[in-house]
């Protein structure tokens, strides 16, 4: 996954605990059963991984951030520092799960090849990540502020539509049981500034000493659309949630 070295588990817990807390729906879609072996791709600090384990499954979590892996190990979880584009597993899991991580993956063909290899025949792939239109207002504001400084926007995250991703899953041998694009305005407990500090850390680092002025500009551009009269900020999230099954026969 991209920007793997920018994640800090303490800062994440301070500003972004809403991410795993909003994972209940995709966890229910996974419906883990006792005795199953499940791979959690992009497990972060392990909040949802721990919940899957509590339902009786054996879980292996992977993440590209050493800091997140260290935080997950404190919970006693089986987690490994791995990139989602180079999964090494073969016919090992009954299910692969992911929440709020796959939009960071740059090569989804490599990801889907790896997921298909990791699953046993008939295994399921259940995930939720950013979908088409996700944080459109936020990205437009960032692009505007960078353009004022004659800076390119850089590599952005991948937010596909449901038809686009259905086709990708099918091309990699999956039968798509369910796929939905879900608008989900999301309250930001520490405002847009806290959000930018977590999810746009690499952008702010590029700006160096000018990052504070840039954050101020982004904040003012977004205030009319994302901040209410009480000062509460809501991000314009759209999620793509799906369940797909690996073909039982080659």
């Amino acid at each position: 996954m991209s920007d793997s070295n920018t994640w800090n588990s303490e800062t994440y817990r301070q500003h972004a605990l809403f991410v795993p807390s909003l994972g209940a729906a995709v966890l229910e879609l996974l419906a883990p059963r006792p005795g199953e072996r499940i791979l959690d791709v992009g497990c972060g600090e392990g909040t949802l991984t721990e919940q899957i384990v509590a339902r009786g499954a054996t879980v292996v979590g992977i993440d590209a951030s050493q800091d997140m892996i260290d935080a997950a190990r404190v919970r006693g979880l089986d987690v490994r520092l791995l990139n989602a584009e180079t999964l090494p597993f073969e016919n090992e899991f009954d299910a692969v799960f992911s929440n709020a991580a796959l939009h960071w993956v740059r090569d989804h063909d490599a990801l889907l090849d790896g997921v298909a290899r990791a699953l046993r025949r008939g295994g399921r792939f259940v995930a939720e990540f950013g979908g088409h239109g996700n944080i459109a207002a936020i990205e437009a504001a960032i692009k505007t502020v960078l353009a004022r400084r004659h800076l390119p926007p850089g590599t952005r995250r991948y937010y596909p539509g449901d038809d686009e991703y259905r086709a990708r899953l099918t091309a990699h041998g999956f039968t798509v049981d369910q796929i939905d694009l879900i608008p989900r305005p999301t309250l930001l407990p520490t405002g847009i500034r806290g959000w930018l500090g977590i999810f746009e850390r690499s952008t702010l680092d590029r700006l160096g000493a000018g990052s504070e002025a840039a954050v101020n500009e982004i904040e003012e551009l977004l205030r009319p659309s994302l901040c209410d009269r009480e000062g509460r900020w809501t991000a314009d999230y759209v999620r793509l949630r799906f369940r797909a099954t690996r073909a039982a026969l080659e």
Side-chain angles (χ1 to χ4, degrees):
M1 295 178 205
S2 64
D3 300 320
S4 61
N5 61 350
T6 67
W7 296 104
N8 178 280
S9 59
E10 286 297 326
T11 309
Y12 186 87
R13 279 191 286 268
Q14 180 183 356
H15 296 289
L17 269 183
F18 65 87
V19 175
S21 70
L22 292 172
V26 70
L27 185 58
E28 289 309 309
L29 187 60
L30 174 66
R33 296 183 289 270
E36 286 191 313
R37 186 165 174 81
I38 297 175
L39 176 65
D40 184 358
V41 176
C43 63
E45 35 74 69
T47 299
L48 291 179
T49 319
E50 195 171 54
Q51 293 180 34
I52 299 170
V53 170
R55 298 196 186 193
T58 298
V59 185
V60 174
I62 70 151
D63 204 278
S65 164
Q66 184 66 61
D67 195 80
M68 290 293 195
I69 289 294
D70 291 344
R73 284 178 177 155
V74 170
R75 298 173 182 259
L77 298 170
D78 179 0
V79 290
R80 307 171 193 182
L81 184 68
L82 289 171
N83 190 301
E85 297 172 6
T86 55
L87 297 176
F89 310 103
E90 298 272 353
N91 276 333
E92 189 171 336
F93 297 98
D94 301 294
V96 174
F97 173 78
S98 184
N99 179 62
L102 300 186
H103 42 257
W104 297 98
V105 175
R106 293 176 180 170
D107 187 346
H108 273 249
D109 291 317
L111 164 73
L112 293 173
D113 280 344
V115 170
R117 284 195 308 271
L119 283 169
R120 295 166 179 153
R121 290 192 181 95
R124 62 200 187 279
F125 181 23
V126 178
E128 179 178 310
F129 65 105
H132 181 70
N134 190 58
I135 62 166
I138 296 174
E139 291 213 319
I142 293 168
K143 184 177 180 180
T144 296
V145 169
L146 290 175
R148 289 172 181 171
R149 289 155 173 80
H150 307 289
L151 292 171
T155 302
R156 305 307 297 165
R157 295 172 283 270
Y158 174 55
Y159 301 133
D162 49 351
D163 289 340
E164 175 187 347
Y165 213 72
R166 179 190 296 272
R168 291 193 88 146
L169 287 162
T170 301
H172 287 270
F174 290 94
T175 298
V176 180
D177 307 309
Q178 175 183 335
I179 188 165
D180 299 292
L181 200 60
I182 305 162
R184 192 181 67 202
T186 300
L187 187 68
L188 302 179
T190 58
I192 194 65
R193 300 179 77 88
W195 189 95
L196 291 168
I198 288 285
F199 298 109
E200 291 294 335
R201 184 73 262 156
S202 60
T203 300
L204 299 183
D205 288 345
R206 287 171 60 203
L207 292 163
S211 63
E212 182 66 20
V215 168
N216 290 340
E217 291 176 40
I218 294 167
E219 188 174 44
E220 290 313 305
L221 284 170
L222 291 171
R223 189 179 301 279
S225 58
L226 300 186
C227 187
D228 66 16
R229 292 180 180 179
E230 285 72 43
R232 293 173 299 202
W233 286 86
T234 300
D236 51 332
Y237 275 22
V238 180
R239 314 313 278 175
L240 186 69
R241 185 185 303 149
F242 65 86
R243 173 187 163 124
T245 305
R246 184 190 171 194
L249 296 175
E250 294 284 329

